[in-house]
């Protein structure tokens, strides 16, 4: 355990004191428009749900081990196969298939840390990953963006920057962790340079990079080092950026993902190993079968990370859902998705690893379906003991679009979840026996001293939900949640203030980006 982990207080170990409403990200919106608690990570105060018995969990583990031992997994990277063969895996000459016995897998996975700290440019935004800590990150990696005014459109840098600003503004978003939308108006050879530089300048939260080849990994890791003011030696001992490693289900880890594991592990940075297992498509149609495949693939990637560098920080990712068997389209927020999230959490705890889940939906607009599926996804993630919950604000269309109004609606949901996870105050004053005595039978509590001292901050104040009665609401024009979310995202952007950045760091980032662009960035075939 590092010194940082031992001394960290999880930002605010005690629940935030009620009444401490303040602006988000340096804004001046006031408490009425955007009531927020200070930046802090929620904690799991309730035991995760055990969806299956210990024996049933072991049956999934055993089946996963049989898959890795008997069927094996393709590793599309010559160096990775050589490393695995040296470590004792079965690799036949000229073949990409790797078979690992369970003892090897279990021994390697056991080397991974159960929790660790992730450093942010603003040290008040450092994150604990694992244990009872929760991280909410916003939508990432969508090709399109949508709002009422501009409609659905391809990702671009302007909208990319706006979504980063929203991720900074709202304290319940602990880190953006990805490009909220892919800015396709920046050439792919240099896109990562501009995007990571934008993330450093527009936010002061933990950084993310994509594993799309060695050069992009090296560039992203170096930019994270500069942003955090670390020496190369300090960087290896200080996780400050993460990447998501997606297996190509079924049973394949491709070259960019394996190279990403290698580069991140060697640099002491975080890999979130997440199979994308859709039951009925790239995974067996049963939830148990899909989880068996997910577990085998996740453990293979995590084991390999520990082979590269024992103790490398990793996260067990679960993204198992099902498809619409009529169309083949991915479905999210389904009963099967929730079941998979619960069992994935059990599996992660079995291996003593942090658990990543997601708050996702398949809805095409901000409607009942979007609210229902996102809420159910979040409920599965929270009750599954999720530590890192990705795509928690703004995800639409099965991940094909990032929605501005959806972002705001989800912020309201996340803040409600955080309030639900705030320990209940059962102090003598909160028990209110004296107030009950003063009012007695048949009275009311509106005017009591106890109520007057607390009413302003007694309950969670929603930012999208409308609690007015019908007549007052109708007189105001009968606004919907969509109407209010459209107004609020614009107000948040007006209120946003860019976080301070050391001028010397800013200059070093510019120099690095300019030099890499002059060198041509990353070679592409277009």
């Amino acid at each position: 355990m590092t010194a940082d982990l031992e001394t960290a207080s999880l930002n605010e170990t005690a629940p935030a004191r009620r009444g401490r409403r303040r602006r988000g990200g340096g804004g001046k919106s006031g408490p009425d428009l955007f009531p927020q608690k200070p930046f802090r990570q929620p904690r799991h105060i309730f035991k995760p749900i055990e969806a299956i018995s210990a024996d049933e969990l072991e049956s999934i583990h055993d089946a996963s081990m049989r898959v890795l031992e008997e069927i094996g997994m393709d590793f599309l990277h010559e160096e990775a196969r050589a490393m695995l063969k040296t470590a004792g895996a079965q690799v036949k000459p000229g073949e990409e298939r790797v078979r690992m016995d369970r003892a090897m897998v279990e021994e390697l996975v056991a080397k991974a840390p159960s929790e660790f700290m992730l450093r942010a440019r603003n040290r008040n935004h450092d994150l604990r990953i694992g244990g009872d800590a929760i991280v909410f990150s916003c939508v990432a990696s969508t090709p399109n963006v949508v709002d009422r005014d501009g409609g659905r459109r391809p990702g671009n840098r302007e909208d990319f920057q706006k979504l980063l600003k929203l991720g900074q503004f709202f304290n319940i978003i602990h880190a953006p962790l990805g490009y909220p939308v892919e800015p396709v108006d920046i050439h792919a050879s240099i896109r990562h340079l501009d995007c990571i530089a934008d993330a450093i300048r527009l936010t002061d939260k933990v950084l993310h990079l994509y594993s799309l080849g060695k050069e992009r990994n090296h560039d992203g890791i170096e930019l994270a080092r500069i942003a955090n003011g670390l020496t190369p030696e300090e960087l290896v001992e200080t996780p400050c950026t993460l990447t998501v490693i997606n297996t190509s289900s079924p049973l394949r880890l491709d070259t960019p993902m394996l190279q990403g594991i290698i580069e991140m592990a060697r640099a002491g940075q975080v890999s979130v190993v997440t199979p994308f297992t859709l039951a009925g498509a790239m995974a067996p149609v049963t939830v148990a079968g899909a989880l068996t495949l997910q577990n085998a693939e996740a453990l293979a990637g995590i084991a390999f990370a520990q082979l590269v560098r024992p103790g490398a920080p990793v996260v067990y990712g679960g993204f198992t859902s099902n498809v619409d068997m009529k169309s083949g389209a991915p479905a999210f927020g389904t009963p099967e998705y929730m079941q998979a999230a619960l069992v994935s959490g059990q599996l992660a705890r079995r291996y003593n690893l942090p658990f990543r889940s997601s708050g996702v939906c398949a809805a095409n607009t901000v409607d009942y379906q979007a609210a229902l599926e996102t809420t159910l996804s979040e409920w599965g993630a929270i009750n599954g003991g999720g530590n890192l919950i990705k795509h928690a604000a703004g995800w639409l269309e099965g991940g094909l679009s990032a929605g501005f109004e959806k972002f705001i609606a989800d912020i309201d949901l996340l803040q409600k979840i955080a309030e639900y996870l705030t320990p209940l105050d059962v102090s003598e004053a909160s028990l209110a026996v004296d107030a009950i005595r003063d009012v007695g039978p048949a009275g009311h509590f509106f005017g009591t001293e106890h109520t007057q001292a607390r009413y302003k901050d007694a309950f969670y104040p929603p930012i999208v939900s409308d609690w007015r009665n019908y007549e007052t609401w109708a007189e105001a024009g009968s606004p919907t949640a969509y109407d209010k979310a459209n107004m609020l995202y614009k107000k948040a952007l007006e209120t946003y203030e860019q976080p301070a950045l050391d001028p010397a760091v800013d200059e070093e980032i510019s120099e690095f980006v300019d030099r890499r662009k002059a060198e041509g960035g990353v070679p592409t075939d277009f």
Side-chain angles (χ1 to χ4, degrees), residues 226-298:
I226 295 169
N228 285 279
L230 299 169
T231 66
E233 294 75 22
E234 290 170 334
L235 175 75
V236 177
E237 302 300 328
T238 310
C240 59
T241 187
L242 61 76
T243 193
V244 173
I245 301 296
N246 290 129
T247 59
S248 299
S249 302
L251 297 175
R252 175 170 285 193
L253 267 164
D254 63 24
T255 300
M257 295 293 101
L258 286 164
Q259 192 66 52
I261 292 175
I262 291 170
E263 302 305 331
M264 295 294 278
R266 285 175 176 168
Q269 303 306 304
V270 184
S271 292
V272 183
V273 184
T274 310
F276 187 27
T277 37
L278 290 176
M282 295 94 73
V285 73
T286 57
V287 174
L291 285 168
T292 295
L293 184 65
Q294 170 195 287
N295 197 51
E297 294 179 356

Side-chain angles (χ1 to χ4, degrees), residues 226-438:
I226 295 169
N228 285 279
L230 299 169
T231 66
E233 294 75 22
E234 290 170 334
L235 175 75
V236 177
E237 302 300 328
T238 310
C240 59
T241 187
L242 61 76
T243 193
V244 173
I245 301 296
N246 290 129
T247 59
S248 299
S249 302
L251 297 175
R252 175 170 285 193
L253 267 164
D254 63 24
T255 300
M257 295 293 101
L258 286 164
Q259 192 66 52
I261 292 175
I262 291 170
E263 302 305 331
M264 295 294 278
R266 285 175 176 168
Q269 303 306 304
V270 184
S271 292
V272 183
V273 184
T274 310
F276 187 27
T277 37
L278 290 176
M282 295 94 73
V285 73
T286 57
V287 174
L291 285 168
T292 295
L293 184 65
Q294 170 195 287
N295 197 51
E297 294 179 356
L299 293 183
I302 290 168
F304 178 65
Q306 301 310 305
L307 184 60
V308 175
R309 184 172 186 268
V314 294
V315 176
Y316 180 106
F319 203 61
T320 292
S321 191
N322 55 293
V323 297
D324 176 2
M325 296 306 294
K326 296 177 182 178
S327 67
F332 299 103
T334 63
E336 294 78 16
Y337 182 92
M338 296 175 72
Q339 289 175 327
L342 296 179
V343 179
S344 295
Q346 284 184 257
L347 288 164
R349 290 190 295 278
R350 185 203 182 282
Y351 307 117
N352 205 23
L353 295 169
F355 170 43
R356 170 257 164 114
S357 191
S358 299
V360 286
C361 68
N364 294 312
T365 189
V366 185
D367 59 5
Y368 163 80
Q369 179 185 344
L372 174 67
E373 292 177 352
T374 303
T375 300
L376 292 178
S377 292
E378 293 286 0
W379 200 239
I382 292 296
N383 286 316
N387 301 114
L388 172 58
I389 302 177
K390 284 184 61 67
H391 308 303
W395 171 289
L396 276 174
E397 205 185 332
L400 293 179
S401 287
F404 280 99
E405 290 89 357
K406 178 64 160 47
F407 196 108
I408 298 300
D410 289 340
I411 291 295
D412 208 10
L413 171 61
L414 297 178
Q415 290 186 164
K416 289 175 180 177
I417 291 173
E419 197 72 10
Y420 163 75
L421 293 172
T422 299
L424 193 65
D425 178 7
V426 289
S427 65
E428 184 64 25
S430 183
L431 292 171
V433 173
D434 289 340
I436 296 169
R437 180 181 293 111
D438 291 342

Side-chain angles (χ1 to χ4, degrees), residues 37-332:
K37 292 290 182 69
F39 182 98
R40 66 182 179 93
Q41 290 182 252
R43 306 181 75 149
H44 288 290
I45 63 173
F46 306 113
K47 290 183 178 180
I49 292 176
E50 303 287 324
I52 58 177
S53 69
D55 288 344
E56 290 168 332
L57 190 71
E58 285 307 299
S59 71
I60 293 177
H61 167 76
D62 178 69
S64 301
M65 294 300 100
R66 284 157 48 203
V67 168
L68 293 178
E69 289 175 328
E70 300 169 14
I71 303 169
M73 185 162 174
D74 285 356
F75 280 69
L76 309 186
H77 192 286
E78 188 174 350
E79 181 186 359
R81 292 195 300 274
M83 294 171 66
L84 286 159
K85 184 174 183 179
T86 300
Q90 183 185 123
V91 185
K92 294 182 180 179
E95 292 187 7
E96 295 170 335
R97 187 69 53 87
V98 175
R99 293 175 176 84
M100 296 179 277
D101 68 60
R102 66 186 63 206
M104 175 185 177
V105 174
E106 292 173 348
E107 180 181 353
L108 287 170
V109 169
K111 298 178 185 294
S114 60
E115 56 182 299
F116 51 87
M117 294 301 297
L118 255 176
R119 178 173 170 140
R121 182 165 73 76
N122 176 351
R123 298 303 304 279
N124 292 323
H125 292 161
D126 286 1
L127 299 175
R128 184 187 296 273
I129 306 297
D132 63 1
I134 301 171
V135 171
F136 291 124
S137 70
C138 61
V139 59
S141 310
T142 68
N144 303 296
V145 66
V146 63
D147 65 358
R148 174 187 288 177
D149 306 282
R152 186 177 185 268
R153 52 197 180 272
N156 58 83
R157 192 174 187 180
E158 181 181 359
D159 286 323
F160 165 80
Q161 291 177 336
K162 286 180 179 178
L163 288 162
L164 281 181
K165 291 175 181 179
L166 292 178
Q168 171 69 14
F169 182 86
F170 288 104
N171 294 329
I172 197 63
I173 299 298
H174 302 107
L177 301 186
Y179 305 170
V181 66
E182 192 77 19
V184 297
D185 53 347
I186 307 174
H187 195 272
S189 62
I190 60 170
R191 188 180 301 161
H192 66 293
L193 298 168
D194 285 333
C195 286
I196 297 173
D198 281 351
I200 292 169
R201 292 186 171 111
L202 298 177
T203 79
D204 58 12
K205 299 178 180 180
V206 168
L207 294 170
H208 172 281
L209 62 88
Y210 287 106
S211 290
L212 297 171
K214 181 186 292 188
E215 295 91 343
R216 289 186 179 90
N217 275 103
H218 284 180
D219 288 344
I221 291 169
E222 179 64 7
L223 284 167
R225 184 195 68 77
I226 295 169
N228 285 279
L230 299 169
T231 66
E233 294 75 22
E234 290 170 334
L235 175 75
V236 177
E237 302 300 328
T238 310
C240 59
T241 187
L242 61 76
T243 193
V244 173
I245 301 296
N246 290 129
T247 59
S248 299
S249 302
L251 297 175
R252 175 170 285 193
L253 267 164
D254 63 24
T255 300
M257 295 293 101
L258 286 164
Q259 192 66 52
I261 292 175
I262 291 170
E263 302 305 331
M264 295 294 278
R266 285 175 176 168
Q269 303 306 304
V270 184
S271 292
V272 183
V273 184
T274 310
F276 187 27
T277 37
L278 290 176
M282 295 94 73
V285 73
T286 57
V287 174
L291 285 168
T292 295
L293 184 65
Q294 170 195 287
N295 197 51
E297 294 179 356
L299 293 183
I302 290 168
F304 178 65
Q306 301 310 305
L307 184 60
V308 175
R309 184 172 186 268
V314 294
V315 176
Y316 180 106
F319 203 61
T320 292
S321 191
N322 55 293
V323 297
D324 176 2
M325 296 306 294
K326 296 177 182 178
S327 67
F332 299 103

Side-chain angles (χ1 to χ4, degrees), residues 489-511:
Y489 98 73
K490 297 171 187 175
K491 291 292 185 183
L493 289 174
E494 290 174 6
T495 307
Y496 163 89
E497 292 180 3
Q498 189 167 328
L501 178 63
D502 186 325
V505 172
D506 198 355
E507 182 178 357
E508 190 173 357
I509 290 167
S510 294
E511 290 174 352

